[in-house]
Amino acid sequence: MTTPSSTTVLCKLPVLLLVIIAALDSADKALLAASFPMLEKTLGLHVDTLGYFSLFTNLSYALSLPLWGWIIHRYTVDRSHIILCTSCFLWGVATLFISISDSAISQALFRSLNGAALASIMPLSQMMLTEYVLPSHHGRAFGLMGFLEKIAATMSTSAVIWWEDWTNPYRFVGCLSIFMAVMSRSHLKMGRRKVDDKKNEEDEEEQQQRLKGEEKEMTLLQIFHRISQIPVFTYLVAQGLFGAIPWDMMSFILLLLEWKDFTRNQIISFQISAGVFGTLGAFLGGVLGDYFAFSPRGRIHVALTSVIGGTIFYGLFLFSKSYQYAVFWYSMFHLWGGWTPAATLRPICAKLAENASERAQIVAAWILLEKTSSAIFGAPLVGFLTKRLFDSTDNASDEAALANHEKADALAFNLFVLSTLFWFVCAYFFVLMARAEAADGSLNPKRQSTRKISTV
């Protein structure tokens, strides 16, 4: 049978809908960081309070993951489109309420509800995408997802900065989320793959019934117990605990650029260049991951290269004084540092699972721990330490009295030291992951099932 091309596989309507939903998820998450400078001005919030907004969103996101994981396991892949429809609708409503909130308390409340609804998007979209796409195209599929995620995040942040209004972008994303709820209900119902040969069709039906039976027989605790015994999964979670924290700290990047006294157009150019190079980097990561997938520990080596190179470029960006150097190193960071999800993490999650429900639980467990660590040690930690530096400054009685360059230097220093530390630990766990994979061969492509389904 002829293997379908990447274009044929990736241009299916269900695949496109899933990556668009993931892109909207990315756009929504980027809105918080883009809103920091305006929330500081309009609501009179301090830098540490802005960090707590990130804490509320990420912590509610993390704590909701077990509930969504149980729901996915309880209703199986056959009803995943209904679960996705429900979560998209709740997400859209919460986002619309954020746009009309005018106090810190209401902002914190609706951002928590927003995070809880968003928690289902990544496990569901990744689980469903791997069911629609053959293993040989996983890297490109996740690369396309990362590509659109970067574009959506760039558009949402640029819209906030350009129009100097954070409410309308929230309304727009909220309405689109509700529209995608309707689309997912209508077009994402998982069906059995069509095959021309009758015997192959009967064999596939028998295999699907067997796997579905296994999926039902195993309890949620048994699934967690099995995946926790896989060394590669343990290290995958461990690297996420540390590697995700610096990305959450980047919520303060736009505030840093404003404190560096860059103009509005220059700040927008940072976002556009980061978006362009980030989209290229995400897709490049997927291609590199697929290219090196069949070499020993190839995907893990791609991730290590991305983490080490990205850390260097990020440090050069933070301490650049001129606009030209800052935008160049920022672009290089996004081009180089964004390979890991599409090249390594998402394909590995797909390969470690034995069925669709287990795949969703792997993603949920991974993101649960990752989001919890970033919620506590990400933006809130940077905000707290930076506020402490402000308070300890002798020539200023409050934050407003400090010069912008002093605030920028303090924030850049904290971002650099903390990010470098956490990414170093992340790289160490990737090394351990490579050793574990060499010992048990759990990522050997020959051991993976090629069972996939698509729409009827």
Side-chain angles (χ1 to χ4, degrees):
M1 186 172 64
T2 304
T3 302
S5 65
S6 297
T7 303
T8 302
V9 171
L10 300 182
C11 288
K12 291 180 179 178
L13 179 60
V15 173
L16 293 176
L17 288 176
L18 288 170
V19 296
I20 290 172
I21 290 172
L24 276 177
D25 175 23
S26 180
D28 190 290
K29 291 172 182 174
L31 284 174
L32 175 59
S35 305
F36 270 14
M38 266 168 277
L39 289 172
E40 182 196 30
K41 296 175 182 176
T42 58
L43 299 183
L45 302 175
H46 292 289
V47 64
D48 54 342
T49 306
L50 296 175
Y52 293 140
F53 278 178
S54 179
L55 171 66
F56 294 142
T57 302
N58 287 333
L59 206 54
S60 65
Y61 186 110
L63 295 177
S64 301
L65 277 167
L67 172 62
W68 289 114
W70 176 83
I71 292 174
I72 294 169
H73 176 73
R74 172 67 178 80
Y75 294 103
T76 73
V77 68
D78 294 333
R79 299 183 183 178
S80 56
H81 64 296
I82 299 177
I83 302 172
L84 185 61
C85 169
T86 303
S87 59
C88 283
F89 179 78
L90 294 175
W91 158 29
V93 171
T95 304
L96 289 174
F97 272 105
I98 290 174
S99 68
I100 61 175
S101 302
D102 57 0
S103 68
I105 295 176
S106 59
Q107 282 279 320
L109 173 63
F110 290 118
R111 288 186 188 280
S112 298
L113 296 175
N114 172 268
L118 281 175
S120 68
I121 301 301
M122 184 178 289
L124 277 169
S125 61
Q126 292 194 31
M127 178 197 76
M128 297 173 75
L129 188 64
T130 52
E131 291 298 311
Y132 279 111
V133 179
L134 294 170
S136 58
H137 294 93
H138 278 173
R140 291 173 178 82
F142 288 124
L144 176 63
M145 179 179 283
F147 182 88
L148 291 181
E149 285 174 344
K150 293 290 185 181
I151 290 178
T154 301
M155 292 176 64
S156 65
T157 53
S158 299
V160 172
I161 300 167
W162 180 258
W163 281 291
E164 296 184 334
D165 174 49
W166 62 271
T167 58
N168 285 329
Y170 273 94
R171 294 189 185 106
F172 183 72
V173 170
C175 291
L176 280 181
S177 304
I178 295 173
F179 174 73
M180 293 311 298
V182 177
M183 294 296 290
S184 62
R185 179 67 177 83
S186 304
H187 299 286
L188 287 179
K189 185 173 183 179
M190 309 291 283
R192 198 164 44 81
R193 178 176 56 193
K194 286 184 177 179
V195 290
D196 295 329
D197 187 88
K198 184 177 181 180
K199 184 178 182 300
N200 288 343
E201 184 172 314
E202 292 171 353
D203 289 344
E204 175 148 332
E205 184 174 356
E206 181 181 344
Q207 183 188 39
Q208 287 199 346
Q209 291 297 328
R210 177 180 61 79
L211 289 170
K212 188 173 179 180
E214 291 176 358
E215 189 174 319
K216 279 291 189 180
E217 288 171 7
M218 291 185 69
T219 66
L220 202 57
L221 289 178
Q222 288 174 327
I223 290 177
F224 279 122
H225 178 73
R226 192 199 77 79
I227 62 179
S228 66
Q229 303 303 308
I230 304 173
V232 171
F233 173 74
T234 303
Y235 294 128
L236 182 144
V237 171
Q239 68 77 31
L241 287 175
F242 296 93
I245 293 174
W247 291 94
D248 189 72
M249 292 176 177
M250 290 177 201
S251 300
F252 287 103
I253 289 295
L254 290 179
L255 196 58
L256 174 68
L257 296 176
E258 185 168 290
W259 285 348
K260 282 179 176 284
D261 293 327
F262 290 126
T263 66
R264 185 181 68 172
N265 288 339
Q266 286 175 332
I267 293 175
I268 291 175
S269 71
F270 273 97
Q271 293 304 113
I272 294 175
S273 63
V276 170
F277 285 95
T279 54
L280 294 176
F283 192 75
L284 178 61
V287 173
L288 289 173
D290 283 350
Y291 182 80
F292 290 103
F294 292 94
S295 64
R297 298 164 296 284
R299 289 191 184 275
I300 300 173
H301 291 156
V302 172
L304 266 172
T305 304
S306 178
V307 172
I308 295 171
T311 303
I312 296 172
F313 292 134
Y314 188 57
L316 292 170
F317 153 69
L318 288 174
F319 294 107
S320 296
K321 298 297 183 182
S322 68
Y323 165 75
Q324 290 81 2
Y325 281 112
V327 74
F328 174 76
W329 294 123
Y330 194 55
S331 300
M332 290 302 299
F333 164 71
H334 282 280
L335 176 65
W336 195 284
W339 299 348
T340 305
T344 310
L345 302 181
R346 291 170 176 175
I348 284 179
C349 281
K351 287 184 177 181
L352 291 177
E354 292 184 352
N355 55 56
S357 176
E358 191 168 295
R359 185 173 296 116
Q361 305 314 317
I362 286 177
V363 175
W366 160 38
I367 300 302
L368 165 64
L369 297 174
E370 182 179 294
K371 280 291 183 181
T372 302
S373 66
S374 61
I376 298 172
F377 299 108
L381 180 60
V382 172
F384 173 76
L385 293 177
T386 304
K387 186 68 165 59
R388 288 289 299 272
L389 282 176
F390 293 164
D391 293 340
S392 64
T393 303
D394 295 332
N395 62 353
S397 59
D398 56 41
E399 181 180 333
L402 286 169
N404 277 350
H405 73 88
E406 293 177 301
K407 295 192 287 187
D409 289 344
L411 182 56
F413 175 80
N414 285 328
L415 287 172
F416 174 72
V417 171
L418 293 173
S419 297
T420 302
L421 172 63
F422 288 126
W423 274 329
F424 177 82
V425 179
C426 170
Y428 173 71
F429 280 113
F430 271 123
V431 173
L432 295 182
M433 187 191 299
R435 291 183 178 179
E437 199 282 325
D440 64 15
S442 57
L443 301 183
N444 187 343
K446 294 181 180 179
R447 296 176 54 182
Q448 306 303 326
S449 169
T450 58
R451 179 184 67 89
K452 295 291 141 193
I453 60 176
S454 63
T455 53
V456 175

